[in-house]
Amino acid sequence: MNPSGGGASFPASLVLVGAGKMGGALLQGWLDLGLEPRRIRLIEPQPAPNILALCAERGVRLVQNQTSTEEPPEVLVLAVKPQMLETVAPALAALVGEAMLVISILAGKTMKDVLDRLPRARAVVRAMPNLPAAIGCGITGAIANSAVTPDQRQSADALLSAIGQVEWLADEGLIDAVTAVSGSGPAYVFYLAECLAEAGRAAGLPADTAARLARATIEGSGALLAQRIDQSPAELRESVTSPGGTTAAALDVLMGDEGLKPLIEKAVLAAKKRAGELSG
Ligand SMILES: NC(=O)c1ccc[n+]([C@@H]2O[C@H](COP(=O)([O-])OP(=O)(O)OC[C@H]3O[C@@H](n4cnc5c(N)ncnc54)[C@H](OP(=O)(O)O)[C@@H]3O)[C@@H](O)[C@H]2O)c1
């Protein structure tokens, strides 16, 4: 691994397969962090106009298909839809060597699924990013198998950090819970924005005003959470809750026996169960 750009430990060469929402965010993040474009090869049969422009502007090599004559890279990043693994694997299998690190962000595909499809691969990192990766504010749960060397893990960390924070897991069995909390989590927050707007409308506000208030409240609270890392969410909540006040009146409802906590627990368990079913 040759360090390059921003102090990050980027690989000397990598192939990215698929530049949709997530692959595109990774590519943009790597280039923004200073990964030399000539080290990247992108395999994408139908690149979106923004990806075409990015590759042309920065000098990233873009090919439609893997050909057997290509040089094997140090790292192979799989970012196609999970159901495309079967389709892309035969062409990639010839490229994979024992020294290569394969990083898969394919939801529901286990490390065994990847190793079964790419039989010469040894080192695999399975990662579960989330949607805010699109703006570099994601969080990715990642797990490395025992064949991953410390250098490869550092390289995976540098590559995944380009779209936000990385949380390394000790056990692949935890990935369904990560999917249920942070993978699906952005949708819960968006739904909270919808519910808050709807409740504002029910409380008498014009619908557009309620929608703006709800959206900006979630945006601002998220930004505050991000900035005030020395304070826990509970401390931030307590800092805006005066005893007997309006916030306390609402929290009495939200924090009651039938409140948000058991509901969120139930929702997360349902997502975890479904993640298990989809990967089983
Ligand atoms: N989006 C998320 O929030 C999220 C979160 C966690 C994990 N993931 C995982 O990330 C992966 C990508 O998801 P996404 O949302 O980025 O999907 P996406 O936008 O559909 O991106 C997949 C990309 O792969 C391309 N592709 C299809 N066939 C290919 C081939 N033979 N060779 C190379 N590229 C090919 C697709 O092109 P076409 O459009 O032409 O088919 C598309 O550009 C998925 O496995 C998903 O489980 C996504």
Side-chain angles (χ1 to χ4, degrees):
M1 308 285 160
N2 298 335
S4 140
S9 186
F10 286 130
S13 57
L14 81 91
V15 166
L16 169 66
V17 188
K21 288 183 282 299
M22 211 41 87
L26 281 165
L27 179 63
Q28 182 74 60
W30 299 334
L31 294 171
D32 289 350
L33 282 180
L35 174 54
E36 287 173 43
R38 63 179 177 81
R39 296 183 181 205
I40 311 170
R41 193 159 79 231
L42 169 62
I43 303 176
E44 168 61 69
Q46 291 183 300
N50 66 316
I51 296 295
L52 266 178
L54 186 66
C55 290
E57 198 179 294
R58 308 291 285 272
V60 173
R61 191 154 158 237
L62 171 62
V63 292
Q64 292 202 317
N65 300 297
Q66 172 58 36
T67 64
S68 53
T69 54
E70 304 276 7
E71 272 285 290
E74 267 186 26
V75 177
L76 177 69
V77 180
L78 301 175
V80 293
K81 288 274 189 218
Q83 61 272 24
M84 292 300 293
L85 177 61
E86 314 281 338
T87 313
V88 299
L92 295 173
L95 181 75
V96 175
E98 289 188 6
M100 186 184 289
L101 167 67
V102 179
I103 302 177
S104 163
I105 64 162
L106 278 51
K109 293 293 175 193
T110 62
M111 295 200 274
K112 183 176 180 306
D113 291 331
V114 172
L115 289 167
D116 285 349
R117 299 298 178 290
L118 303 173
R120 289 203 304 195
R122 295 289 173 269
V124 178
V125 165
R126 179 178 174 192
M128 170 52 60
N130 70 356
L131 186 62
I135 55 163
C137 295
I139 183 149
T140 298
I143 168 87
N145 73 359
S146 57
V148 173
T149 65
D151 270 4
Q152 286 176 324
R153 187 177 154 126
Q154 223 183 332
S155 180
D157 193 73
L159 291 169
L160 295 170
S161 295
I163 50 171
Q165 301 174 54
V166 181
E167 195 68 39
W168 284 95
L169 309 167
D171 177 354
E172 190 175 9
L174 297 174
I175 212 111
D176 290 345
V178 168
T179 303
V181 173
S182 55
S184 302
Y188 315 157
V189 178
F190 301 144
Y191 185 56
L192 179 61
E194 288 177 64
C195 290
L196 193 54
E198 187 57 34
R201 202 190 57 76
L205 289 167
D208 57 344
T209 306
R212 282 194 296 274
L213 290 174
R215 192 177 181 123
T217 300
I218 304 246
E219 267 176 44
S221 307
L224 207 58
L225 267 178
Q227 262 183 35
R228 304 269 173 88
I229 45 168
D230 53 325
Q231 282 178 284
S232 68
E235 284 168 341
L236 286 168
R237 168 175 54 75
E238 281 158 11
S239 73
V240 290
T241 312
S242 327
T246 58
T247 309
L251 287 175
D252 281 348
V253 178
L254 288 173
M255 296 174 79
D257 289 344
E258 309 269 297
L260 203 51
K261 192 174 166 204
L263 201 58
I264 298 267
E265 272 172 13
K266 210 165 132 190
V268 165
L269 286 179
K272 183 183 167 204
K273 180 166 173 276
R274 187 69 186 131
E277 287 163 1
L278 290 174
S279 61

PDB file of all heavy atoms in Angstrom, residues 179-210:
ATOM      1  N   THR A 179     -27.280  -2.835   9.890  1.00  0.00           N
ATOM      2  CA  THR A 179     -28.223  -2.513   8.810  1.00  0.00           C
ATOM      3  C   THR A 179     -29.493  -1.899   9.399  1.00  0.00           C
ATOM      4  O   THR A 179     -30.012  -0.905   8.882  1.00  0.00           O
ATOM      5  CB  THR A 179     -28.588  -3.801   8.030  1.00  0.00           C
ATOM      6  OG1 THR A 179     -27.382  -4.382   7.554  1.00  0.00           O
ATOM      7  CG2 THR A 179     -29.524  -3.532   6.881  1.00  0.00           C
ATOM      8  N   ALA A 180     -29.967  -2.499  10.505  1.00  0.00           N
ATOM      9  CA  ALA A 180     -31.230  -2.062  11.118  1.00  0.00           C
ATOM     10  C   ALA A 180     -31.106  -0.699  11.797  1.00  0.00           C
ATOM     11  O   ALA A 180     -32.091   0.028  11.892  1.00  0.00           O
ATOM     12  CB  ALA A 180     -31.689  -3.107  12.125  1.00  0.00           C
ATOM     13  N   VAL A 181     -29.904  -0.359  12.284  1.00  0.00           N
ATOM     14  CA  VAL A 181     -29.745   0.930  12.987  1.00  0.00           C
ATOM     15  C   VAL A 181     -29.318   2.031  12.013  1.00  0.00           C
ATOM     16  O   VAL A 181     -30.042   3.008  11.809  1.00  0.00           O
ATOM     17  CB  VAL A 181     -28.731   0.800  14.158  1.00  0.00           C
ATOM     18  CG1 VAL A 181     -28.443   2.171  14.781  1.00  0.00           C
ATOM     19  CG2 VAL A 181     -29.271  -0.148  15.223  1.00  0.00           C
ATOM     20  N   SER A 182     -28.140   1.873  11.400  1.00  0.00           N
ATOM     21  CA  SER A 182     -27.628   2.979  10.577  1.00  0.00           C
ATOM     22  C   SER A 182     -27.931   2.812   9.091  1.00  0.00           C
ATOM     23  O   SER A 182     -28.103   3.811   8.387  1.00  0.00           O
ATOM     24  CB  SER A 182     -26.121   3.147  10.785  1.00  0.00           C
ATOM     25  OG  SER A 182     -25.447   1.936  10.524  1.00  0.00           O
ATOM     26  N   GLY A 183     -28.000   1.561   8.598  1.00  0.00           N
ATOM     27  CA  GLY A 183     -28.291   1.355   7.175  1.00  0.00           C
ATOM     28  C   GLY A 183     -29.681   1.863   6.828  1.00  0.00           C
ATOM     29  O   GLY A 183     -29.867   2.680   5.932  1.00  0.00           O
ATOM     30  N   SER A 184     -30.665   1.414   7.603  1.00  0.00           N
ATOM     31  CA  SER A 184     -32.052   1.834   7.362  1.00  0.00           C
ATOM     32  C   SER A 184     -32.391   3.121   8.119  1.00  0.00           C
ATOM     33  O   SER A 184     -33.421   3.745   7.850  1.00  0.00           O
ATOM     34  CB  SER A 184     -33.020   0.727   7.820  1.00  0.00           C
ATOM     35  OG  SER A 184     -32.748  -0.477   7.155  1.00  0.00           O
ATOM     36  N   GLY A 185     -31.538   3.488   9.074  1.00  0.00           N
ATOM     37  CA  GLY A 185     -31.810   4.614   9.979  1.00  0.00           C
ATOM     38  C   GLY A 185     -32.192   5.939   9.320  1.00  0.00           C
ATOM     39  O   GLY A 185     -33.098   6.620   9.810  1.00  0.00           O
ATOM     40  N   PRO A 186     -31.519   6.334   8.217  1.00  0.00           N
ATOM     41  CA  PRO A 186     -31.912   7.611   7.607  1.00  0.00           C
ATOM     42  C   PRO A 186     -33.411   7.678   7.276  1.00  0.00           C
ATOM     43  O   PRO A 186     -34.040   8.723   7.440  1.00  0.00           O
ATOM     44  CB  PRO A 186     -31.035   7.677   6.345  1.00  0.00           C
ATOM     45  CG  PRO A 186     -29.808   6.906   6.739  1.00  0.00           C
ATOM     46  CD  PRO A 186     -30.314   5.760   7.589  1.00  0.00           C
ATOM     47  N   ALA A 187     -33.990   6.528   6.885  1.00  0.00           N
ATOM     48  CA  ALA A 187     -35.433   6.530   6.570  1.00  0.00           C
ATOM     49  C   ALA A 187     -36.266   6.813   7.818  1.00  0.00           C
ATOM     50  O   ALA A 187     -37.314   7.467   7.730  1.00  0.00           O
ATOM     51  CB  ALA A 187     -35.836   5.188   5.963  1.00  0.00           C
ATOM     52  N   TYR A 188     -35.787   6.348   8.977  1.00  0.00           N
ATOM     53  CA  TYR A 188     -36.551   6.611  10.216  1.00  0.00           C
ATOM     54  C   TYR A 188     -36.561   8.118  10.497  1.00  0.00           C
ATOM     55  O   TYR A 188     -37.558   8.681  10.930  1.00  0.00           O
ATOM     56  CB  TYR A 188     -35.957   5.886  11.434  1.00  0.00           C
ATOM     57  CG  TYR A 188     -35.545   4.440  11.272  1.00  0.00           C
ATOM     58  CD1 TYR A 188     -34.597   3.881  12.129  1.00  0.00           C
ATOM     59  CD2 TYR A 188     -36.082   3.631  10.272  1.00  0.00           C
ATOM     60  CE1 TYR A 188     -34.195   2.557  12.004  1.00  0.00           C
ATOM     61  CE2 TYR A 188     -35.678   2.302  10.136  1.00  0.00           C
ATOM     62  CZ  TYR A 188     -34.735   1.781  11.001  1.00  0.00           C
ATOM     63  OH  TYR A 188     -34.319   0.485  10.869  1.00  0.00           O
ATOM     64  N   VAL A 189     -35.391   8.733  10.269  1.00  0.00           N
ATOM     65  CA  VAL A 189     -35.277  10.179  10.550  1.00  0.00           C
ATOM     66  C   VAL A 189     -36.132  10.973   9.555  1.00  0.00           C
ATOM     67  O   VAL A 189     -36.809  11.938   9.934  1.00  0.00           O
ATOM     68  CB  VAL A 189     -33.796  10.625  10.511  1.00  0.00           C
ATOM     69  CG1 VAL A 189     -33.667  12.121  10.738  1.00  0.00           C
ATOM     70  CG2 VAL A 189     -32.991   9.863  11.574  1.00  0.00           C
ATOM     71  N   PHE A 190     -36.134  10.538   8.289  1.00  0.00           N
ATOM     72  CA  PHE A 190     -36.973  11.232   7.302  1.00  0.00           C
ATOM     73  C   PHE A 190     -38.451  11.087   7.692  1.00  0.00           C
ATOM     74  O   PHE A 190     -39.242  12.019   7.544  1.00  0.00           O
ATOM     75  CB  PHE A 190     -36.740  10.679   5.883  1.00  0.00           C
ATOM     76  CG  PHE A 190     -35.310  10.798   5.411  1.00  0.00           C
ATOM     77  CD1 PHE A 190     -34.723   9.814   4.629  1.00  0.00           C
ATOM     78  CD2 PHE A 190     -34.532  11.899   5.752  1.00  0.00           C
ATOM     79  CE1 PHE A 190     -33.404   9.923   4.207  1.00  0.00           C
ATOM     80  CE2 PHE A 190     -33.203  12.020   5.340  1.00  0.00           C
ATOM     81  CZ  PHE A 190     -32.640  11.025   4.563  1.00  0.00           C
ATOM     82  N   TYR A 191     -38.792   9.902   8.201  1.00  0.00           N
ATOM     83  CA  TYR A 191     -40.189   9.690   8.606  1.00  0.00           C
ATOM     84  C   TYR A 191     -40.536  10.566   9.812  1.00  0.00           C
ATOM     85  O   TYR A 191     -41.639  11.108   9.903  1.00  0.00           O
ATOM     86  CB  TYR A 191     -40.435   8.202   8.907  1.00  0.00           C
ATOM     87  CG  TYR A 191     -41.891   7.905   9.202  1.00  0.00           C
ATOM     88  CD1 TYR A 191     -42.881   8.254   8.279  1.00  0.00           C
ATOM     89  CD2 TYR A 191     -42.279   7.306  10.396  1.00  0.00           C
ATOM     90  CE1 TYR A 191     -44.222   7.999   8.555  1.00  0.00           C
ATOM     91  CE2 TYR A 191     -43.623   7.055  10.669  1.00  0.00           C
ATOM     92  CZ  TYR A 191     -44.584   7.402   9.740  1.00  0.00           C
ATOM     93  OH  TYR A 191     -45.907   7.170  10.002  1.00  0.00           O
ATOM     94  N   LEU A 192     -39.558  10.754  10.700  1.00  0.00           N
ATOM     95  CA  LEU A 192     -39.784  11.652  11.842  1.00  0.00           C
ATOM     96  C   LEU A 192     -40.083  13.070  11.335  1.00  0.00           C
ATOM     97  O   LEU A 192     -40.980  13.751  11.849  1.00  0.00           O
ATOM     98  CB  LEU A 192     -38.543  11.652  12.757  1.00  0.00           C
ATOM     99  CG  LEU A 192     -38.596  12.555  13.978  1.00  0.00           C
ATOM    100  CD1 LEU A 192     -39.738  12.175  14.916  1.00  0.00           C
ATOM    101  CD2 LEU A 192     -37.263  12.516  14.738  1.00  0.00           C
ATOM    102  N   ALA A 193     -39.342  13.483  10.292  1.00  0.00           N
ATOM    103  CA  ALA A 193     -39.593  14.813   9.708  1.00  0.00           C
ATOM    104  C   ALA A 193     -41.016  14.877   9.140  1.00  0.00           C
ATOM    105  O   ALA A 193     -41.720  15.892   9.298  1.00  0.00           O
ATOM    106  CB  ALA A 193     -38.558  15.109   8.628  1.00  0.00           C
ATOM    107  N   GLU A 194     -41.442  13.803   8.495  1.00  0.00           N
ATOM    108  CA  GLU A 194     -42.814  13.770   7.947  1.00  0.00           C
ATOM    109  C   GLU A 194     -43.840  13.865   9.077  1.00  0.00           C
ATOM    110  O   GLU A 194     -44.808  14.625   8.990  1.00  0.00           O
ATOM    111  CB  GLU A 194     -43.057  12.442   7.224  1.00  0.00           C
ATOM    112  CG  GLU A 194     -42.351  12.250   5.909  1.00  0.00           C
ATOM    113  CD  GLU A 194     -42.652  10.847   5.366  1.00  0.00           C
ATOM    114  OE1 GLU A 194     -43.818  10.547   5.058  1.00  0.00           O
ATOM    115  OE2 GLU A 194     -41.707  10.046   5.290  1.00  0.00           O
ATOM    116  N   CYS A 195     -43.640  13.069  10.145  1.00  0.00           N
ATOM    117  CA  CYS A 195     -44.600  13.029  11.259  1.00  0.00           C
ATOM    118  C   CYS A 195     -44.664  14.377  11.971  1.00  0.00           C
ATOM    119  O   CYS A 195     -45.746  14.837  12.351  1.00  0.00           O
ATOM    120  CB  CYS A 195     -44.210  11.952  12.272  1.00  0.00           C
ATOM    121  SG  CYS A 195     -44.437  10.295  11.648  1.00  0.00           S
ATOM    122  N   LEU A 196     -43.492  14.997  12.153  1.00  0.00           N
ATOM    123  CA  LEU A 196     -43.452  16.291  12.847  1.00  0.00           C
ATOM    124  C   LEU A 196     -44.194  17.349  12.021  1.00  0.00           C
ATOM    125  O   LEU A 196     -44.948  18.167  12.562  1.00  0.00           O
ATOM    126  CB  LEU A 196     -41.986  16.684  13.101  1.00  0.00           C
ATOM    127  CG  LEU A 196     -41.712  17.833  14.054  1.00  0.00           C
ATOM    128  CD1 LEU A 196     -42.374  17.640  15.418  1.00  0.00           C
ATOM    129  CD2 LEU A 196     -40.190  18.029  14.244  1.00  0.00           C
ATOM    130  N   ALA A 197     -43.992  17.312  10.708  1.00  0.00           N
ATOM    131  CA  ALA A 197     -44.682  18.264   9.825  1.00  0.00           C
ATOM    132  C   ALA A 197     -46.196  18.038   9.888  1.00  0.00           C
ATOM    133  O   ALA A 197     -46.982  18.994   9.993  1.00  0.00           O
ATOM    134  CB  ALA A 197     -44.171  18.097   8.394  1.00  0.00           C
ATOM    135  N   GLU A 198     -46.592  16.776   9.865  1.00  0.00           N
ATOM    136  CA  GLU A 198     -48.022  16.432   9.894  1.00  0.00           C
ATOM    137  C   GLU A 198     -48.639  16.874  11.226  1.00  0.00           C
ATOM    138  O   GLU A 198     -49.749  17.431  11.269  1.00  0.00           O
ATOM    139  CB  GLU A 198     -48.153  14.915   9.673  1.00  0.00           C
ATOM    140  CG  GLU A 198     -49.561  14.401   9.500  1.00  0.00           C
ATOM    141  CD  GLU A 198     -50.300  15.070   8.350  1.00  0.00           C
ATOM    142  OE1 GLU A 198     -49.674  15.418   7.335  1.00  0.00           O
ATOM    143  OE2 GLU A 198     -51.522  15.255   8.506  1.00  0.00           O
ATOM    144  N   ALA A 199     -47.897  16.667  12.313  1.00  0.00           N
ATOM    145  CA  ALA A 199     -48.402  17.062  13.635  1.00  0.00           C
ATOM    146  C   ALA A 199     -48.518  18.587  13.726  1.00  0.00           C
ATOM    147  O   ALA A 199     -49.447  19.113  14.351  1.00  0.00           O
ATOM    148  CB  ALA A 199     -47.460  16.537  14.722  1.00  0.00           C
ATOM    149  N   GLY A 200     -47.565  19.287  13.083  1.00  0.00           N
ATOM    150  CA  GLY A 200     -47.624  20.760  13.060  1.00  0.00           C
ATOM    151  C   GLY A 200     -48.861  21.247  12.324  1.00  0.00           C
ATOM    152  O   GLY A 200     -49.531  22.196  12.746  1.00  0.00           O
ATOM    153  N   ARG A 201     -49.167  20.543  11.229  1.00  0.00           N
ATOM    154  CA  ARG A 201     -50.372  20.891  10.450  1.00  0.00           C
ATOM    155  C   ARG A 201     -51.624  20.638  11.303  1.00  0.00           C
ATOM    156  O   ARG A 201     -52.519  21.479  11.376  1.00  0.00           O
ATOM    157  CB  ARG A 201     -50.398  20.044   9.172  1.00  0.00           C
ATOM    158  CG  ARG A 201     -51.237  20.633   8.043  1.00  0.00           C
ATOM    159  CD  ARG A 201     -51.394  19.640   6.926  1.00  0.00           C
ATOM    160  NE  ARG A 201     -51.984  18.377   7.385  1.00  0.00           N
ATOM    161  CZ  ARG A 201     -53.276  18.195   7.662  1.00  0.00           C
ATOM    162  NH1 ARG A 201     -54.131  19.186   7.524  1.00  0.00           N
ATOM    163  NH2 ARG A 201     -53.704  17.021   8.081  1.00  0.00           N
ATOM    164  N   ALA A 202     -51.613  19.512  12.009  1.00  0.00           N
ATOM    165  CA  ALA A 202     -52.764  19.183  12.872  1.00  0.00           C
ATOM    166  C   ALA A 202     -52.892  20.194  14.013  1.00  0.00           C
ATOM    167  O   ALA A 202     -53.987  20.433  14.518  1.00  0.00           O
ATOM    168  CB  ALA A 202     -52.606  17.772  13.428  1.00  0.00           C
ATOM    169  N   ALA A 203     -51.765  20.819  14.386  1.00  0.00           N
ATOM    170  CA  ALA A 203     -51.793  21.818  15.472  1.00  0.00           C
ATOM    171  C   ALA A 203     -52.172  23.206  14.952  1.00  0.00           C
ATOM    172  O   ALA A 203     -52.144  24.178  15.713  1.00  0.00           O
ATOM    173  CB  ALA A 203     -50.427  21.858  16.161  1.00  0.00           C
ATOM    174  N   GLY A 204     -52.470  23.301  13.645  1.00  0.00           N
ATOM    175  CA  GLY A 204     -53.001  24.551  13.109  1.00  0.00           C
ATOM    176  C   GLY A 204     -52.084  25.308  12.165  1.00  0.00           C
ATOM    177  O   GLY A 204     -52.464  26.353  11.634  1.00  0.00           O
ATOM    178  N   LEU A 205     -50.880  24.818  11.927  1.00  0.00           N
ATOM    179  CA  LEU A 205     -49.963  25.542  11.036  1.00  0.00           C
ATOM    180  C   LEU A 205     -50.300  25.266   9.565  1.00  0.00           C
ATOM    181  O   LEU A 205     -50.745  24.163   9.243  1.00  0.00           O
ATOM    182  CB  LEU A 205     -48.521  25.068  11.279  1.00  0.00           C
ATOM    183  CG  LEU A 205     -47.854  25.483  12.590  1.00  0.00           C
ATOM    184  CD1 LEU A 205     -46.566  24.675  12.797  1.00  0.00           C
ATOM    185  CD2 LEU A 205     -47.538  26.976  12.586  1.00  0.00           C
ATOM    186  N   PRO A 206     -50.040  26.244   8.684  1.00  0.00           N
ATOM    187  CA  PRO A 206     -50.139  25.938   7.248  1.00  0.00           C
ATOM    188  C   PRO A 206     -49.172  24.798   6.909  1.00  0.00           C
ATOM    189  O   PRO A 206     -48.068  24.727   7.484  1.00  0.00           O
ATOM    190  CB  PRO A 206     -49.709  27.242   6.566  1.00  0.00           C
ATOM    191  CG  PRO A 206     -49.830  28.302   7.624  1.00  0.00           C
ATOM    192  CD  PRO A 206     -49.630  27.633   8.946  1.00  0.00           C
ATOM    193  N   ALA A 207     -49.566  23.919   5.972  1.00  0.00           N
ATOM    194  CA  ALA A 207     -48.771  22.714   5.685  1.00  0.00           C
ATOM    195  C   ALA A 207     -47.333  23.055   5.295  1.00  0.00           C
ATOM    196  O   ALA A 207     -46.387  22.398   5.748  1.00  0.00           O
ATOM    197  CB  ALA A 207     -49.445  21.904   4.585  1.00  0.00           C
ATOM    198  N   ASP A 208     -47.145  24.087   4.452  1.00  0.00           N
ATOM    199  CA  ASP A 208     -45.771  24.383   4.006  1.00  0.00           C
ATOM    200  C   ASP A 208     -44.914  24.927   5.148  1.00  0.00           C
ATOM    201  O   ASP A 208     -43.725  24.614   5.262  1.00  0.00           O
ATOM    202  CB  ASP A 208     -45.764  25.304   2.781  1.00  0.00           C
ATOM    203  CG  ASP A 208     -46.503  26.613   3.024  1.00  0.00           C
ATOM    204  OD1 ASP A 208     -47.274  26.698   4.010  1.00  0.00           O
ATOM    205  OD2 ASP A 208     -46.305  27.557   2.239  1.00  0.00           O
ATOM    206  N   THR A 209     -45.530  25.714   6.025  1.00  0.00           N
ATOM    207  CA  THR A 209     -44.787  26.223   7.193  1.00  0.00           C
ATOM    208  C   THR A 209     -44.376  25.058   8.093  1.00  0.00           C
ATOM    209  O   THR A 209     -43.221  24.961   8.531  1.00  0.00           O
ATOM    210  CB  THR A 209     -45.654  27.224   8.003  1.00  0.00           C
ATOM    211  OG1 THR A 209     -46.101  28.235   7.120  1.00  0.00           O
ATOM    212  CG2 THR A 209     -44.889  27.835   9.166  1.00  0.00           C
ATOM    213  N   ALA A 210     -45.330  24.153   8.343  1.00  0.00           N
ATOM    214  CA  ALA A 210     -45.050  23.007   9.218  1.00  0.00           C
ATOM    215  C   ALA A 210     -43.921  22.161   8.623  1.00  0.00           C
ATOM    216  O   ALA A 210     -43.026  21.709   9.347  1.00  0.00           O
ATOM    217  CB  ALA A 210     -46.318  22.170   9.390  1.00  0.00           C
TER     218      ALA A 210
END
